[in-house]
Amino acid sequence: MSDAEFVVEGVTKRYDAVTALSSVSVAVRPGTVHGLVGPNGSGKTTLFHLLSGLARPTDGRIDRPDVPVGVGFQTPRFYPDLTVRENLSVFRSFAADPPPESWTETLLEELRLEPAAHRTASDLSGGFRTKLDLALAMVKRPTYLLLDEPLTDVDDHSRRRIVSFLAEYPGDDRCVVVSTHNVEAFGEAFDRVTVLVDGTVAFDGEVAEDALAQYRAALE
C-alpha cells in the first residue's frame, strides 16, 4: 500500500436493519480517474460518504492519506449570499497552502462560470450551481477530488467540457473519484471503476476499451 492511497478494507456499513455495504474492499490511487458506479441503491453514495469522512464504517477500516481532499456534493453547498467569485475567494482562503489565483481563473474558464462570476450564488440556475460546487471542490487544487454526481442539471456542452477537464486533472500525483450512475458520460475518462450492486463489489479494476459495456456485464 502506498502512503498516498485511499484504502477501504473489509468495510460494512449498516443503518439500523439495512446493510448498505457488505465487506467492501477498494484501493483508490493517485494518477487515476476512478469511478464508483452502480444503479440507484447500490451503495455507491454510502461508499462516497465513507471516503469523504462524512460517515464511519460499522465494521472494517478506511486508511486516508494525509493529503488535501476536495469534495463536491450531489446537492451543491456554497454561501448563497455571496457571488460566484466571492465564494471561490473564501473557499480558497481555507487552504493552508493556496494555489495561485490564476488557478481560480482557470476554473472559471474551464467550467464555463465566467458569465456568472459576479452573480449571487442563490440566483444561479441548477446547472450553474452544480458547476460552482465543482469549482469550490477544486479551488484548493486538492490531491484527491471526490465528486458525487457532478453533472446534475448541466447542459450537454458543459458536460463534455467538464468531463474532459476532469480527465486531465490527475496527472501523476492527483486522483478524481466520481460517484455516478451515468457511466456513459464518463466512460472515456475513467481509468478504473468499482461497480457496486446491492452493497457488494461486482467488479473492481482497470477500464477496458468500452467502459459502458464493461459496466453492463458486471450487472448481469
Side-chain angles (χ1 to χ4, degrees):
M1 182 188 78
S2 165
D3 290 340
E5 290 182 5
F6 263 94
V7 175
V8 175
E9 187 171 320
V11 162
T12 294
K13 179 62 178 177
R14 300 186 188 91
Y15 296 97
D16 297 325
V18 177
T19 300
L21 293 175
S22 179
S23 300
V24 169
S25 295
V26 177
V28 181
R29 303 178 177 92
T32 63
V33 179
H34 190 132
L36 305 179
V37 300
N40 291 334
S42 62
K44 61 183 183 296
T45 298
T46 298
L47 180 55
F48 177 87
H49 286 167
L50 291 169
L51 287 173
S52 60
L54 296 175
R56 295 182 178 181
T58 306
D59 297 302
R61 67 182 182 90
I62 299 176
D63 293 330
R64 297 183 183 87
D66 185 19
V67 295
V69 176
V71 183
F73 299 95
Q74 190 168 355
T75 301
R77 304 184 184 187
F78 44 71
Y79 292 108
D81 295 331
L82 299 182
T83 67
V84 167
R85 187 176 291 278
E86 287 169 344
N87 266 283
L88 287 166
S89 178
V90 169
F91 274 69
R92 178 180 175 274
S93 72
F94 295 154
D97 183 20
E101 291 188 9
S102 59
W103 175 242
T104 298
E105 300 307 315
T106 296
L107 293 174
L108 287 168
E109 178 182 355
E110 292 294 335
L111 301 179
R112 301 185 71 214
L113 275 166
E114 286 178 322
H118 298 291
R119 290 174 58 187
T120 303
S122 61
D123 294 333
L124 298 176
S125 66
F128 273 112
R129 289 180 178 220
T130 296
K131 291 189 286 186
L132 173 57
D133 188 68
L134 176 56
L136 295 177
M138 300 182 74
V139 72
K140 294 185 286 186
R141 202 154 57 183
T143 302
Y144 276 87
L145 178 63
L146 310 180
L147 304 173
D148 190 9
E149 297 292 1
L151 301 180
T152 303
D153 295 327
V154 175
D155 64 86
D156 289 342
H157 179 70
S158 293
R159 183 179 295 117
R160 290 190 293 270
R161 186 158 180 163
I162 288 169
V163 171
S164 177
F165 185 47
L166 293 176
E168 296 174 358
Y169 182 76
D172 293 328
D173 56 356
R174 293 192 294 265
C175 177
V176 178
V177 179
V178 179
S179 172
T180 186
H181 67 276
N182 192 355
V183 180
E184 186 172 7
F186 282 98
E188 295 183 3
F190 285 149
D191 301 299
R192 189 176 185 89
V193 293
T194 301
V195 181
L196 292 165
V197 178
D198 295 331
T200 63
V201 176
F203 175 82
D204 179 53
E206 295 183 1
V207 171
E209 291 184 6
D210 189 338
L212 185 59
Q214 194 172 14
Y215 168 64
R216 288 171 174 166
L219 297 181
E220 293 178 354

